[in-house]
Amino acid sequence: MRAFDVKPTQTLKSRAAVSAHLVQIRSPGKEMEQDSSEEAMTEFKEKPLGGWGLLQITAGTGLAVYTVWAGIIMPGFRRVPLKLQVPYVPASHAQVRSVMTLLQGRSGNIADLGSGDGRIVLEAYRQGFQPVVGYELNPWLIRLSNFHAWRAGYSGKVSFRQEDLWKVSLAECRNVTVFLAPSVLPLLQEKLLLELPLDALVVAGRFPFPGWAPCRTEGVGVHRAWAYNIQALRQAAKNQGTAV
C-alpha cells in the first residue's frame, strides 16, 4: 500500500482523534471564560458604586419618571387650569369593588368622570350597565382604555371620550362615578347638583364630597366609597336656603 493510500476506517478514526483533541484544547478556554465572567461579576458586586455610579442611577430614574410624566400624564393637563388638574392614580381592585357594591340594584347608563385606564367603565359594563361612557382628557389613557376594552372583548360596547368633563352635559346621567382629587370636588358638586336628574346616584371613590351626607358607604380606609342621592342633596340644599 502506498503512503498516501488510507482506508476509510482509518480516516474516520483520524478525524475522531482530531475532534477529541480540539475538544480538549477548547474546554480549558471555556472554563477560563466562565471563571473570568464569575470573577468580573463578583468584582462588580463587591465594588462600591461611588458618587458617579449613584449619580448615573439617579439620572436614569429621573429620566424614566419624566418620560412617564411627559408622555402619559402631562398631555391631559396642558389646557386645564392648575386648580382643575387631577393626577392619574389607578383605582385598586378593592376600590372598584366598593364602587360597584354601592351601585347594586341600579341600572341604566353610567358616566365615569376622569376614567383613567377604564377599569370602572369595564366593570360597570360587566355588571349590566348600558351605555357606559368614560370621560378622560389624557389621550394616552384613552388609548390604554380602548386597549383594555379590546382585550376584554368589549370593543365597541363601551366608549371613552377625550372631553373636558367640565364641558360635558350630565343632564341624562342616572349613575355617575368619580375618582378625583379633593381640590376638584367642591367645583364638581355645583355641576352635579345643577345638571343631574333627581333619580341620579353619584358614587365617589378615594375621597368624599365635602359637606355632602352620603346615603351609603362601602369599604374601609383608602378603599372606601361614598354614595350620594341627588334628590336628597337637593332637598337638603333647599332646606338650608341654598340655591341649586
Side-chain angles (χ1 to χ4, degrees):
M1 184 177 65
R2 288 176 297 179
F4 53 83
D5 289 334
V6 181
K7 294 182 179 179
T9 54
Q10 292 177 333
T11 302
L12 292 175
K13 289 180 180 179
S14 299
R15 289 178 181 175
V18 171
S19 298
H21 182 62
L22 288 175
V23 170
Q24 291 177 356
I25 294 175
R26 289 174 184 172
S27 296
K30 288 185 178 180
E31 292 176 0
M32 290 176 64
E33 289 177 0
Q34 292 176 355
D35 292 341
S36 300
S37 300
E38 291 176 359
E39 290 176 1
M41 183 60 66
T42 303
E43 183 180 356
F44 176 77
K45 291 179 180 179
E46 294 178 353
K47 184 179 180 180
L49 288 174
W52 176 243
L54 291 174
L55 181 61
Q56 287 179 313
I57 293 175
T58 303
T61 304
L63 179 61
V65 172
Y66 174 78
T67 301
V68 173
W69 168 260
I72 298 178
I73 301 176
M74 189 177 177
F77 287 172
R78 287 174 181 160
R79 295 187 299 246
V80 182
L82 181 61
K83 66 179 180 179
L84 301 183
Q85 293 181 3
V86 180
Y88 165 60
V89 180
S92 66
H93 293 295
Q95 288 170 337
V96 174
R97 200 161 46 242
S98 296
V99 168
M100 300 315 300
T101 298
L102 292 175
L103 287 168
Q104 286 180 355
R106 303 277 300 178
S107 61
N109 60 15
I110 281 188
D112 186 20
L113 307 183
S115 55
D117 61 4
R119 61 187 64 191
I120 293 286
V121 169
L122 297 180
E123 185 59 33
Y125 181 81
R126 286 190 192 99
Q127 300 197 20
F129 290 90
Q130 292 186 33
V132 187
V133 182
Y135 293 98
E136 174 60 52
L137 201 58
N138 191 309
W140 290 99
L141 292 176
I142 290 288
R143 294 185 181 96
L144 181 61
S145 299
N146 283 321
F147 170 74
H148 288 164
W150 170 81
R151 191 172 61 177
Y154 300 155
S155 182
K157 300 176 182 178
V158 298
S159 60
F160 300 96
R161 301 178 184 174
Q162 186 184 344
E163 298 182 31
D164 186 347
L165 65 88
W166 304 103
K167 299 177 182 179
V168 172
S169 174
L170 304 175
E172 298 182 1
C173 297
R174 294 193 64 250
N175 304 285
V176 175
T177 54
V178 177
F179 271 83
L180 297 175
S183 59
V184 178
L185 296 181
L187 297 171
L188 185 59
Q189 283 176 299
E190 301 176 13
K191 180 178 178 65
L192 296 175
L193 283 176
L194 285 172
E195 297 183 14
L196 289 177
L198 279 177
D199 62 344
L201 185 74
V202 178
V203 178
R206 196 174 287 122
F207 300 106
F209 282 97
W212 278 7
C215 57
R216 287 179 61 198
T217 61
E218 181 68 28
V220 294
V222 296
H223 307 302
R224 179 172 294 180
W226 298 259
Y228 302 93
N229 182 287
I230 288 298
Q231 185 173 11
L233 292 173
R234 282 184 177 169
Q235 185 61 46
K238 183 178 180 180
N239 295 339
Q240 295 174 2
T242 305
V244 177

